[in-house]
Amino acid sequence: MKETRTKLAEGVHLTCMPARKFKTDLLSAQFMTPIREETAAVQALLPAVLRRGCARCPDMGALGAELDRLYGAELDYTVRKKGERQCVGFVASLIDDAFTPGGEKLLEPVAELLGQVICNPAMKNGRFLPEYVDSERTNLVDAIRSILNDKRDYADLRLLQEMCAGEAYGVSRFGDEKAAEALTGEQVYGAYLKMISAAPLELFYCGGAEPARVADALSKALSVLPRTTVAPLPKTLRHTARAEALRITDAMDVTQGKLGMGFACGSDDFSALLMGNTLFGGSSNSKLFMNVREKLSLCYYASSQLHREKGVITVSSGIEFENFQRAYGEILIQLKAVQDGALDDWELEGARSTLCNAYATIGDSQGKLENFWLGRMASGREDTPEELAAGVRAVTPERIREAMGSVSLDTVYFLKGEEAGA
Amino acid sequence: MKKELYQRIGETVCREVLPNGLPINVVYKPDFARSYAFFATRYGGMDTRFQLNGTWMDTPAGIAHYLEHKMFDTEEGNALQDLAKNGAEPNAFTSNAMTGYYFDSTEKFEENLKILLSFVSIPYFTDESVEKEQGIISQEIRMIEDNPDWQVYAGMMGALYHNNTAKTHIAGSVESIREITAKTLYDCHKAFYTPGNMVLTVVGNVDAERVKEIAASILPKESGPAIPRDHGEEPAGVAQREVSRRMEVSMPQFLLGFKCTPTAQGEDFLRRSLIGGMASDLLLGDSSPLYQRLYEQGLINGSFGGAFEMMPDTAYFYAGGDSRDVGAVAEEIKKEARRLAAEGLDHDFYERVRKAAFGTMLRSMNSFESIAVSLTEGHFAGYDALRFPEAFDGITEEDVRAFIRDELTEDRAAMSVIQPK
């Protein structure tokens, strides 16, 4: 069975991914908007406030009891960044009809509950409950601050913030701490009305039910959604390479240093960049893994990531403070090797199989499926996992050399210890 | 191989114990593109003291994990690359009581399985290669030491236990791993990587008979003796009431641990683990009155949660997360445990939690990793992990209440806190 995409209402589309092999069904509702400094925090706050309660189940206890009764169905709010889009909404997981002990059907009641949470929030005097807004604002501010707790994530985030300062891509998915702190109930409610009426809404279902049944359940559940004209989303802008690399150092009381390097990609040959990135630092037989870790024992992790929409590659590594120069130099040497085409056949075949394996297994996980199709919708791309794999298979060493030749160092970020001099 | 159907959860498993003592499970998943193989030994971070050839040996903290890193070395090169060349995604982990090696692939499954079984069963180290790994593992340890989630957990284990080796840091310390030599690694491999001490589990669209044939042809024909281990003589009561440290974190973080009575191997192990899990849901789960109250008071956020853990000679319950007032939250948890012990459980809530707990366990069966790891843990502890629906049937409200009353008491509690700088 293949995926189907149906329009349910103005700017509301349902993608059905039929599969009977899972124990559960996944149901997801995602509003997509351009990510902007002014709106990122308020939009990140919305699903958290909505998750606190709807008119029928007005608090966490009532909502939790309802979900427990539905065999521990999950209804989690999500805040993600896909290219220069912010995607906020809910992902629900429920036991498939085939496995409910009493033969109960859970799709309809869970879809209904999802609809209630989105369309019919707990309200007072025409506004969200102030105590919900206040406490979720505090939680959002705490979540933004807590990125600091995981130094690897923190360093990766700091690199992108500095590299893409002034660009939408430099805005984090939760937005800015100061903006979050200043949010009022009125602003949050205003943003809610705007989002549910005008933001494109992508619905996803993966499980054993027929698409018509899913469409019916969701149409009913979302029938009161006040849709107006939906404007198309602007494209993600590519990062422009800096002539001279930006260098940023932070100091903190840590035992391990974190080195982040950002590169701008000039090429549009996505399949070749993907192969080039995998060879450079995208797998456990990549040049970074084999050399920075295995040969020189400089680190436990050194890996690279391609940010497709943005045309950026980032490298992330954890090292001893005094090894900064060695690691930095070695990472550039390994990039040069990929750019020079110093690639053995086994490296090429390994990178190709790694990527094809990853594409082939997307359909084995409901979470990966949802994430993949959301990314596709957010970017406006049309390629399926099969087409992406075919693209990778067709890449030649010459194309890799050419595409990776357009990659240039843009930003260097180092998180060092307070006493260390690096 | 013997085929067993699990109707209530829709699984089919083929099983057999090879003549060399290795149990094999093949979980049949016909509609999936990926196949997953998991080869594990009952040997982890807590097994530092054991008897080999009649002599008790004390080995450095972190040795099981160090061995895991070095097992990928082969005489020809490195198995990680051999598997990656076939597009397989290999990796490994070491926990307190287990070391597991695995890969995930969509093609050349049999070839990959042969590589996995070979590199895990045939050690190849030199003093030089062992020394070279120190830099990598030292960086792994540094990374872990900067992680507040790990520090708060390590603090709790150290506070709960006087001698129990469950508190040993799995990766060891930068100092302890310096004592590790090729000789000790060979000794540990010989003792613990023997078919009778291991389990092979495959999940996917594979031919179970072929898995058996491949395992029989590659692995040793005989198993070594069972190895007695010493996890430390543990007195009643906690080692320390409270431990605390300061780190670069955004807000205070805590774990409140309860040292529980260990359970002997067998079917009761699974039952006990489900009871502990339900106790956690009832006491402080997302839909519990305590969770709701503390959340509404702003004392906890989404990071709050708890669990019950069991391992050989060890069992503990813990709860924690981020909070502005960690002391108040800990007191509320203890108070709620006392209330439930005295007043009993809310019957409707108990029934709901039971339904939800079944749903959560069933959901975990979507994950090949979780099926393989739970089947393996079951083998090591003497139960069939896929019989959880039947185990739930045999649990009563009183079982859960008794757990809360007897195990979650003040004298068993220890608190670990991370404060911001």
Side-chain angles (χ1 to χ4, degrees), chain A residues 326-343:
Chain A
R326 278 183 77 198
Y328 170 82
E330 186 64 23
I331 289 167
L332 290 179
I333 288 171
Q334 295 309 323
L335 174 65
K336 182 84 175 23
V338 179
Q339 291 176 322
D340 289 347
L343 303 167

PDB file of all heavy atoms in Angstrom, chain A residues 326-343:
ATOM      1  N   ARG A 326      45.137  20.549  17.195  1.00  0.00           N
ATOM      2  CA  ARG A 326      45.339  19.254  16.510  1.00  0.00           C
ATOM      3  C   ARG A 326      44.041  18.784  15.876  1.00  0.00           C
ATOM      4  O   ARG A 326      44.006  18.345  14.735  1.00  0.00           O
ATOM      5  CB  ARG A 326      45.812  18.193  17.503  1.00  0.00           C
ATOM      6  CG  ARG A 326      47.298  18.248  17.789  1.00  0.00           C
ATOM      7  CD  ARG A 326      47.678  17.108  18.715  1.00  0.00           C
ATOM      8  NE  ARG A 326      47.763  15.827  18.009  1.00  0.00           N
ATOM      9  CZ  ARG A 326      47.732  14.649  18.610  1.00  0.00           C
ATOM     10  NH1 ARG A 326      47.592  14.581  19.923  1.00  0.00           N
ATOM     11  NH2 ARG A 326      47.833  13.535  17.908  1.00  0.00           N
ATOM     12  N   ALA A 327      42.942  18.851  16.650  1.00  0.00           N
ATOM     13  CA  ALA A 327      41.654  18.365  16.146  1.00  0.00           C
ATOM     14  C   ALA A 327      41.171  19.251  15.005  1.00  0.00           C
ATOM     15  O   ALA A 327      40.751  18.763  13.949  1.00  0.00           O
ATOM     16  CB  ALA A 327      40.623  18.338  17.273  1.00  0.00           C
ATOM     17  N   TYR A 328      41.287  20.567  15.214  1.00  0.00           N
ATOM     18  CA  TYR A 328      40.865  21.527  14.185  1.00  0.00           C
ATOM     19  C   TYR A 328      41.625  21.261  12.881  1.00  0.00           C
ATOM     20  O   TYR A 328      41.034  21.165  11.799  1.00  0.00           O
ATOM     21  CB  TYR A 328      41.141  22.932  14.725  1.00  0.00           C
ATOM     22  CG  TYR A 328      41.005  24.057  13.733  1.00  0.00           C
ATOM     23  CD1 TYR A 328      39.758  24.588  13.445  1.00  0.00           C
ATOM     24  CD2 TYR A 328      42.137  24.601  13.112  1.00  0.00           C
ATOM     25  CE1 TYR A 328      39.631  25.632  12.530  1.00  0.00           C
ATOM     26  CE2 TYR A 328      42.022  25.636  12.205  1.00  0.00           C
ATOM     27  CZ  TYR A 328      40.768  26.153  11.914  1.00  0.00           C
ATOM     28  OH  TYR A 328      40.645  27.189  11.018  1.00  0.00           O
ATOM     29  N   GLY A 329      42.938  21.106  13.002  1.00  0.00           N
ATOM     30  CA  GLY A 329      43.768  20.868  11.817  1.00  0.00           C
ATOM     31  C   GLY A 329      43.406  19.560  11.131  1.00  0.00           C
ATOM     32  O   GLY A 329      43.288  19.492   9.902  1.00  0.00           O
ATOM     33  N   GLU A 330      43.198  18.516  11.944  1.00  0.00           N
ATOM     34  CA  GLU A 330      42.908  17.198  11.366  1.00  0.00           C
ATOM     35  C   GLU A 330      41.546  17.186  10.663  1.00  0.00           C
ATOM     36  O   GLU A 330      41.395  16.560   9.613  1.00  0.00           O
ATOM     37  CB  GLU A 330      42.959  16.122  12.462  1.00  0.00           C
ATOM     38  CG  GLU A 330      42.812  14.687  11.961  1.00  0.00           C
ATOM     39  CD  GLU A 330      43.945  14.234  11.041  1.00  0.00           C
ATOM     40  OE1 GLU A 330      45.048  14.818  11.104  1.00  0.00           O
ATOM     41  OE2 GLU A 330      43.714  13.295  10.243  1.00  0.00           O
ATOM     42  N   ILE A 331      40.579  17.877  11.215  1.00  0.00           N
ATOM     43  CA  ILE A 331      39.248  17.927  10.587  1.00  0.00           C
ATOM     44  C   ILE A 331      39.368  18.583   9.197  1.00  0.00           C
ATOM     45  O   ILE A 331      38.807  18.092   8.217  1.00  0.00           O
ATOM     46  CB  ILE A 331      38.242  18.681  11.497  1.00  0.00           C
ATOM     47  CG1 ILE A 331      37.924  17.826  12.727  1.00  0.00           C
ATOM     48  CG2 ILE A 331      36.951  19.026  10.740  1.00  0.00           C
ATOM     49  CD1 ILE A 331      37.209  18.559  13.856  1.00  0.00           C
ATOM     50  N   LEU A 332      40.171  19.657   9.116  1.00  0.00           N
ATOM     51  CA  LEU A 332      40.340  20.317   7.815  1.00  0.00           C
ATOM     52  C   LEU A 332      41.102  19.422   6.831  1.00  0.00           C
ATOM     53  O   LEU A 332      40.795  19.392   5.632  1.00  0.00           O
ATOM     54  CB  LEU A 332      41.059  21.656   7.994  1.00  0.00           C
ATOM     55  CG  LEU A 332      40.232  22.743   8.696  1.00  0.00           C
ATOM     56  CD1 LEU A 332      41.045  24.021   8.852  1.00  0.00           C
ATOM     57  CD2 LEU A 332      38.936  23.032   7.933  1.00  0.00           C
ATOM     58  N   ILE A 333      42.087  18.676   7.354  1.00  0.00           N
ATOM     59  CA  ILE A 333      42.832  17.741   6.485  1.00  0.00           C
ATOM     60  C   ILE A 333      41.882  16.695   5.906  1.00  0.00           C
ATOM     61  O   ILE A 333      41.950  16.354   4.718  1.00  0.00           O
ATOM     62  CB  ILE A 333      43.971  17.054   7.282  1.00  0.00           C
ATOM     63  CG1 ILE A 333      45.090  18.058   7.556  1.00  0.00           C
ATOM     64  CG2 ILE A 333      44.508  15.825   6.544  1.00  0.00           C
ATOM     65  CD1 ILE A 333      46.165  17.546   8.507  1.00  0.00           C
ATOM     66  N   GLN A 334      40.968  16.199   6.730  1.00  0.00           N
ATOM     67  CA  GLN A 334      40.046  15.159   6.253  1.00  0.00           C
ATOM     68  C   GLN A 334      39.030  15.725   5.264  1.00  0.00           C
ATOM     69  O   GLN A 334      38.653  15.043   4.311  1.00  0.00           O
ATOM     70  CB  GLN A 334      39.332  14.477   7.436  1.00  0.00           C
ATOM     71  CG  GLN A 334      40.289  13.706   8.354  1.00  0.00           C
ATOM     72  CD  GLN A 334      41.202  12.754   7.592  1.00  0.00           C
ATOM     73  OE1 GLN A 334      40.784  12.126   6.605  1.00  0.00           O
ATOM     74  NE2 GLN A 334      42.455  12.663   8.001  1.00  0.00           N
ATOM     75  N   LEU A 335      38.628  16.973   5.461  1.00  0.00           N
ATOM     76  CA  LEU A 335      37.729  17.584   4.472  1.00  0.00           C
ATOM     77  C   LEU A 335      38.462  17.703   3.131  1.00  0.00           C
ATOM     78  O   LEU A 335      37.918  17.388   2.071  1.00  0.00           O
ATOM     79  CB  LEU A 335      37.267  18.974   4.945  1.00  0.00           C
ATOM     80  CG  LEU A 335      36.435  19.739   3.909  1.00  0.00           C
ATOM     81  CD1 LEU A 335      35.105  19.021   3.634  1.00  0.00           C
ATOM     82  CD2 LEU A 335      36.155  21.166   4.362  1.00  0.00           C
ATOM     83  N   LYS A 336      39.720  18.125   3.232  1.00  0.00           N
ATOM     84  CA  LYS A 336      40.537  18.282   2.021  1.00  0.00           C
ATOM     85  C   LYS A 336      40.640  16.946   1.277  1.00  0.00           C
ATOM     86  O   LYS A 336      40.571  16.897   0.048  1.00  0.00           O
ATOM     87  CB  LYS A 336      41.919  18.798   2.442  1.00  0.00           C
ATOM     88  CG  LYS A 336      42.898  19.076   1.312  1.00  0.00           C
ATOM     89  CD  LYS A 336      42.663  20.467   0.749  1.00  0.00           C
ATOM     90  CE  LYS A 336      43.678  20.906  -0.324  1.00  0.00           C
ATOM     91  NZ  LYS A 336      44.395  19.913  -1.051  1.00  0.00           N
ATOM     92  N   ALA A 337      40.802  15.861   2.051  1.00  0.00           N
ATOM     93  CA  ALA A 337      40.931  14.533   1.429  1.00  0.00           C
ATOM     94  C   ALA A 337      39.672  14.202   0.618  1.00  0.00           C
ATOM     95  O   ALA A 337      39.755  13.686  -0.496  1.00  0.00           O
ATOM     96  CB  ALA A 337      41.180  13.474   2.499  1.00  0.00           C
ATOM     97  N   VAL A 338      38.488  14.518   1.194  1.00  0.00           N
ATOM     98  CA  VAL A 338      37.240  14.262   0.460  1.00  0.00           C
ATOM     99  C   VAL A 338      37.186  15.169  -0.771  1.00  0.00           C
ATOM    100  O   VAL A 338      36.811  14.730  -1.868  1.00  0.00           O
ATOM    101  CB  VAL A 338      36.002  14.495   1.367  1.00  0.00           C
ATOM    102  CG1 VAL A 338      34.710  14.264   0.595  1.00  0.00           C
ATOM    103  CG2 VAL A 338      36.051  13.578   2.582  1.00  0.00           C
ATOM    104  N   GLN A 339      37.602  16.415  -0.593  1.00  0.00           N
ATOM    105  CA  GLN A 339      37.561  17.365  -1.722  1.00  0.00           C
ATOM    106  C   GLN A 339      38.520  16.971  -2.839  1.00  0.00           C
ATOM    107  O   GLN A 339      38.253  17.213  -4.012  1.00  0.00           O
ATOM    108  CB  GLN A 339      37.915  18.774  -1.223  1.00  0.00           C
ATOM    109  CG  GLN A 339      36.832  19.351  -0.323  1.00  0.00           C
ATOM    110  CD  GLN A 339      37.205  20.704   0.257  1.00  0.00           C
ATOM    111  OE1 GLN A 339      38.363  20.952   0.606  1.00  0.00           O
ATOM    112  NE2 GLN A 339      36.219  21.591   0.363  1.00  0.00           N
ATOM    113  N   ASP A 340      39.643  16.350  -2.438  1.00  0.00           N
ATOM    114  CA  ASP A 340      40.626  15.915  -3.436  1.00  0.00           C
ATOM    115  C   ASP A 340      40.247  14.585  -4.071  1.00  0.00           C
ATOM    116  O   ASP A 340      40.960  14.067  -4.921  1.00  0.00           O
ATOM    117  CB  ASP A 340      42.011  15.776  -2.783  1.00  0.00           C
ATOM    118  CG  ASP A 340      42.590  17.137  -2.434  1.00  0.00           C
ATOM    119  OD1 ASP A 340      42.037  18.151  -2.923  1.00  0.00           O
ATOM    120  OD2 ASP A 340      43.572  17.192  -1.664  1.00  0.00           O
ATOM    121  N   GLY A 341      39.178  13.990  -3.575  1.00  0.00           N
ATOM    122  CA  GLY A 341      38.755  12.706  -4.139  1.00  0.00           C
ATOM    123  C   GLY A 341      39.606  11.537  -3.661  1.00  0.00           C
ATOM    124  O   GLY A 341      39.665  10.505  -4.329  1.00  0.00           O
ATOM    125  N   ALA A 342      40.263  11.691  -2.508  1.00  0.00           N
ATOM    126  CA  ALA A 342      41.062  10.580  -1.954  1.00  0.00           C
ATOM    127  C   ALA A 342      40.109   9.589  -1.278  1.00  0.00           C
ATOM    128  O   ALA A 342      40.029   9.515  -0.058  1.00  0.00           O
ATOM    129  CB  ALA A 342      42.083  11.114  -0.954  1.00  0.00           C
ATOM    130  N   LEU A 343      39.378   8.842  -2.084  1.00  0.00           N
ATOM    131  CA  LEU A 343      38.338   7.961  -1.563  1.00  0.00           C
ATOM    132  C   LEU A 343      38.540   6.551  -2.103  1.00  0.00           C
ATOM    133  O   LEU A 343      38.612   6.356  -3.317  1.00  0.00           O
ATOM    134  CB  LEU A 343      36.958   8.474  -2.002  1.00  0.00           C
ATOM    135  CG  LEU A 343      36.617   9.910  -1.593  1.00  0.00           C
ATOM    136  CD1 LEU A 343      35.403  10.408  -2.342  1.00  0.00           C
ATOM    137  CD2 LEU A 343      36.393   9.988  -0.088  1.00  0.00           C
TER     138      LEU A 343
END
